Amino acid sequence: MAKEVLRVVHPAAVNAAIVASEGAARQQDDVLAAWARDLEAARYAAQRAQKQYDATDPENRLVADELERRWNHALQRVREIEGRIDQHVQGRRQVVIPTREEFDALAADLEAVWNDPHSDGRLKKRILHTLIQEIVVDVDAAGGEIILTVHWRGGVHTELRVPRRRRGQNSSQAPTEIIEAVRVLARICSDDVLASTLNRNSLLTGRGNRWTRERVTALRTYHEIPCYDPERRQSQGWMNLTEAASVLGINARTLRLAVERGEIKADHPLPDGPWVFQRSALETPTAAALVARVRRRTQEVAIPASQQGTLGFSRLSST
């Protein structure tokens, strides 16, 4: 379940966070408007109390004292509301609404925080409580899956499908997610690397043991998963994130963010493990547009601001 949460946290939770952030900003505006309506009613009450006090007979001390008390109370109410408005405005000035890029970076850091062995379990619960409003569970008996509908705060919904334990399946068998992860990663990883990656993700065998090269080999053989072959990798065009970024000529982080946005297809079966790309995914029009966009931004940054101003002045002079 943890792996599935990390997989959908981006972009679903990012969109939810943006919607929630915008909603919080609107709520702050509504609060300020409410204070202003109060801010206005209190002044009217104070002005009315003053008029009543000014109209009273000074010799009627009891009535004058009572009206003066009411006037002072109304003035105190005005000062109180004005003070709250000032505090609210100052608080709004100190709050910076994050951009999508900042949310993207935050979501990327979430994986590191989640898998850090020193992360407190209570912190992970707080993260889930912050992002998720509720989870609705249903069973697809025909498909052998459990359907989880995650309602993120901010109105975004995500559907997860988790394999249901089949009849006859026992706890000594490796979980389906491990089998599928090995099936994908064996395209670019040897059994030694696979064992290390599974252990790094705190995954155990069906009997609760740590993974070794021999156990990975046995798992592959039983499930008819081909072993890693450098020649087959080359001929079929499988590569990791660094290699794919090199092929496109862009930064690896830029490529990863593009994948997480759904612009380029890639597999990432384990949170703390390599990405798996196929060359055909890098030869699409979307990938070409990404490369062009990155190069255009790089060229714009490469031109000094002073030179841009000089060029603009020259064109104006020539006309």
Side-chain angles (χ1 to χ4, degrees), residues 43-101:
R43 284 177 176 171
Y44 174 79
Q47 293 172 356
R48 188 168 181 269
Q50 180 183 4
K51 291 179 180 178
Q52 291 176 339
Y53 175 77
D54 292 341
T56 190
D57 186 356
E59 295 183 0
N60 191 343
R61 298 296 302 275
L62 291 178
V63 175
D65 290 346
E66 175 62 21
L67 292 177
E68 184 178 12
R69 185 189 66 79
R70 295 181 182 178
W71 183 21
N72 290 332
H73 183 270
L75 291 175
Q76 179 63 30
R77 176 62 177 167
V78 171
R79 288 191 292 268
E80 177 184 346
I81 294 177
E82 289 178 342
R84 292 188 178 183
I85 290 178
D86 289 340
Q87 291 179 356
H88 186 82
V89 172
Q90 291 298 327
R92 285 292 304 275
R93 291 175 180 172
Q94 296 175 0
V95 174
V96 179
I97 300 178
T99 63
R100 168 172 282 278
E101 288 73 17

Side-chain angles (χ1 to χ4, degrees), residues 6-8 10-11 107-108 111 181 184-189 193 197 200-201 233 237-245 252-278 282:
L6 288 172
R7 179 179 297 174
V8 301
H10 194 355
E111 185 172 327
V184 173
L185 294 177
R187 298 164 179 166
I188 64 171
C189 298
V193 176
T197 303
R200 192 166 62 247
N201 283 270
R233 175 184 182 180
W238 299 111
M239 61 190 75
N240 59 28
L241 175 63
T242 302
E243 294 166 340
R253 182 176 182 276
T254 300
L255 176 57
R256 177 174 58 79
L257 292 176
V259 172
E260 292 172 345
R261 290 195 299 268
E263 298 179 12
I264 295 179
K265 183 180 178 181
D267 291 315
H268 191 214
L270 295 178
D272 190 0
W275 292 79
V276 180
F277 292 78
Q278 192 171 35
L282 308 179

